[in-house]
Amino acid sequence: MQLILYSKPGCHLCEGLQEKLSQITTVSIELDVRDISTRDDWRMAYEYEIPVLCRVQPTPDGNSYTEVTLPRVSPRASVAQIAQLLQKYAQ
């Protein structure tokens, strides 16, 4: 499963989610962490929303992809709860 984590340096919520994602073993994850401070469009879209977790979904023609924003993950969610959420959206 390809995921994108919109984040920024020094965000403890982002770092916590990234750490939990790295501990998941029940779902194969390719994680692309994107620093919103490096692009104005990302900063404007996510400045007050981070961390934002998106699933990369190929378009039907296979020539590009879309990002599907997953429901916001609670900072108190366990690794198992996050894995369960990802399994739900893996299909």
Side-chain angles (χ1 to χ4, degrees), residues 1 3 21 24 26-29 53-55 70 73 79-91:
M1 172 182 249
L3 298 174
L21 288 168
I24 293 174
T26 56
V27 179
S28 177
I29 297 172
L53 190 61
C54 299
R55 185 176 140 251
L70 299 180
V73 177
V79 172
Q81 289 170 321
I82 296 170
Q84 186 177 22
L85 172 77
L86 294 179
Q87 286 174 338
K88 179 180 176 182
Y89 288 93
Q91 291 114 25

Side-chain angles (χ1 to χ4, degrees), residues 20-32:
K20 289 176 184 177
L21 288 168
S22 73
Q23 295 175 33
I24 293 174
T25 58
T26 56
V27 179
S28 177
I29 297 172
E30 290 179 39
L31 184 62
D32 179 12

